[in-house]
Structures are given as structure tokens and as C-alpha cells.
Amino acid sequence: MPRSLAKSNAHFRRALATLPLGVSSNFRYWGEGKTLYIKRGRGARIWDLDDNEYIDYRLGYGPVILGHCHPEVDAAARAGQEIGTVFALSTEREAVVAEQISDMVPAAELVRFSNSGTEAVMAALRLARGVTGRDGYVILEGSYHGLFDAVMWQADVEGMSDPSQEPEVRPFGKGVPGLVQQLLWHVPYNDAQRLEDVLRKNSDRIAAVLIEPILGSCCGIPATPEFFRAVRELTERYGVLMIADEVKTGFRVARGGAQQLYGVKADICTMAKAMANGYPIAAIGGREDLMRHYGGGGVTHGGTYTAGAMPLAAAERTLLILKDTDVLARVSAYGLRLQEGMARILTSRGIRHSFAGHPSMGGLFFRESPPRNYRDWKLSDYTFYDSLAQYLIENGVVCEPDSREPWFISGAHDDDCLLKTLSVFEAGVDATVRDLARTGTEASA
Ligand code: PMP
């Protein structure tokens, strides 16, 4: 039976009166008649207002690494709540969690907390600028670093008609001052030569290179090990700081994040999502000589809600679980089995496909070889993905409707989730092939 969204739709109409688009983040608006409102989540599953059940592969864009409402983390958060909320003074647990982070992420010799990924990256960039006395910075195509003006720039790959041309760099929407662009260099991902060209000519104006080691908002495209190492070597050679934005990869792709996987240490790194299973807390970690500039070196960092007692307690427990159990290995193993199952279904139908990135946050890509950068995504059959995703969502498997977001796995995804997902996926692939044939859109088979 097709799902009913009667209650979600009615709520949407009510919410429209007080919330632009009826939501609290533009990305949660999926269109009239399609926007979901969630009643609750447990483990790997979520239910909407109409009690439709979904297996969740979005996990709030990654944070819910242990599954929704993890009993131990929630109990720890409640105990944290007993302390109070915020005091405009520090609590003991800040140093405890900072020690945990330092222990898991060697680059984080010292730690400061923030409330969100955006705030953490903002603080990291300010630190790099404060230390170097330079305002410029490099970001890489296909990256997402949050909602502040400095990083709200993207290569307009979608609008490119000729893939051999350079995409135009544009702000993510209106309201981002054009002036900011003067401080920014935008370099293609996995292109060390282009990065070196920029640094050779402009390093006296550049404070930092920001890199997502795995493009968490672009199919999970990973940096090649050579590129990640080249970023380290080039930044050292040209006296520019390297900021690894591990907001999505931190404590997810390995206990020590992507820096552990690659064996590379950044000067400054940011972590957020998997750190507290969804409670609002983030961290900036970095070299001691740099981090001491917060305060001592005149770089401002703070925030009323920073290191609140409840999210901090949730972080302590989440990090303990990630460190002391095999949960991350299970997350990866599930991701691999999911990809193997999808590959079997697609291969048996002659549909070209590939997977990008780490299995705990992998991208599904309709082209025979995985993308190396954002420009490659444009060459894939994302129309096929878009139709398939719609079918999956309507039938109880929530992935991101946009093919640029990876599939996130939690420790709560189990065999039952896998079986159901693959059965819906198989039916979805067949339905998509049929639908696209009917509408005359070329399938990738
Ligand atoms: N950096 C990266 C790599 C991200 O993926 C995100 C969020 N998707 C951010 C920064 C911003 O984090 P937040 O949404 O918590 O502000």
C-alpha cells in the first residue's frame, strides 16, 4: 500500500505560517506533499507523523553514529543535565573530553569546543588567520564547510555545459558578500599541481588550506593518499597552515578520523558530527603552539553555549563507546555488505555503477568508475539516482534525495535493515528503469 503523508502534509501547511518553507533548515524542505516530519527515531529507524517507518541512512547528516536514542548516551546526557545547562564558567568534564579527543586524534594536542561544525571551522580559520596574520585561504571544489560567509562558495559544476571549461565560483545563495571572494582561492579536488600553483604565487596572502579528507557532501569522494600527503607537504613548504575539516569524518571513518586512515597530521582540525551521537557539540583541535593563540595570542574564541554540560556528557560517553568497542568496525562492515548487495543487484541488470569513499559514508554513483572530484559527479547519471532515491524514500529507506550526499551507517544498522534495504533497492532499481524508459530518459544500462 502506498504510504500516506496526510499528517505530515497537514503539519506542513500549519508550519508554513510561522516557518519559512515550513522547516528550520532549507535542506529539510523536500517539496509540497513530500516534506517529512519525524515523530521519533530508535536505532537505525525513524517514524514520521503518519507512522511510516524508514531505515535511516541520513542520520541527521551523519552525527547519529550509534543509532537514534542510544540508551547509554542518553543516560549520560541526562546525568549531564543534572549539573545544569551553561554557567559562563567552565566545568570539570571539559578537560576530560579534551583528553579523550587528544588521545584519539594525535593532531589535537590542545582542544577547544564549539556548538556546531560551522562554528568550529569558523574558529579554526580565525585561528589560522590570527597566527599567520594573513586573511586569504584555499578551499577545494565540492567541499562544504558550513554556513558562514567565508566558505559559502561553490564551483558551479551543475551549470557547466562544457566539462573542459573551468566552472564559475558562486556563493551558495544570496546574502553572501561578493567582497569575501577576494580572499578565497578555489582549487579542484585531488589536483596537487593546481594547489601548488596557487600556493607558489600567493602564499604570502594565504593563512590556510581547508580540506575535507573525504568530501562528505559530494558522494564521499576521498582525497587520494598522494593528494592528502601533497597538501601536507605543500602547506609546510609554503608556510601555510593545513586545516583538516573532519566534521563528518571525525570519529566515524576511524577512531582518529581520516587523519588516522591516511597517516597525515594537520595543523588544525575540526570535528563535530559523530562526537556526541547528535548532541550539539563540536571541537577544534590543533598543534599546541597554534592553539595557545586562543586567548594568549589574541585570537578570540568563546560562545555562550560552548561546552554545555549536557552535550559534553553525551560526548564523553559517545567517545568512550567509539574508542572501547568494535562499533566502528561494525559500521564499516555493514557499509561494505550494503555496497556488495547493491552492486549485485545493479550488475545483474547491466547498470554501470561505482561507490566512492569510505563504507561508513559511501556515495553511490552511476558511472563505471568512481569520481575523483566534483566535476566527475556531473558526468554520472544522477537523474537515475534522483528517481531511485525517490522510490526508496517512498518505500521505507531514507537516503538523501540528492546524490551528492553519502549514505551514512550507524552501529544500529543490523541484518534486518540490510535485508529490507536490499529488497526495496532491488524493486526500486527495476521501477526506475521502467519509469525512465517510459518518460524517454536515457538509463545508464
Ligand atoms: N564541515 C563539514 C565537512 C560538514 O559536513 C558540515 C555540515 N554538513 C559542516 C562543516 C558544518 O557543520 P554544521 O552543520 O554542524 O554547522
Side-chain angles (χ1 to χ4, degrees), residues 61 116-119 121 144-146 212 217 245 247-248 273:
Y61 287 139
S116 66
T118 296
E119 270 190 57
V121 182
Y144 181 76
H145 295 292
E212 267 187 279
S217 304
D245 181 356
V247 162
K248 267 188 176 162
K273 300 206 177 205

Side-chain angles (χ1 to χ4, degrees), residues 85-91 94 303-308:
T85 52
V86 291
F87 304 98
L89 286 170
S90 293
T91 58
E94 291 164 34
T304 303
Y305 298 104
T306 297

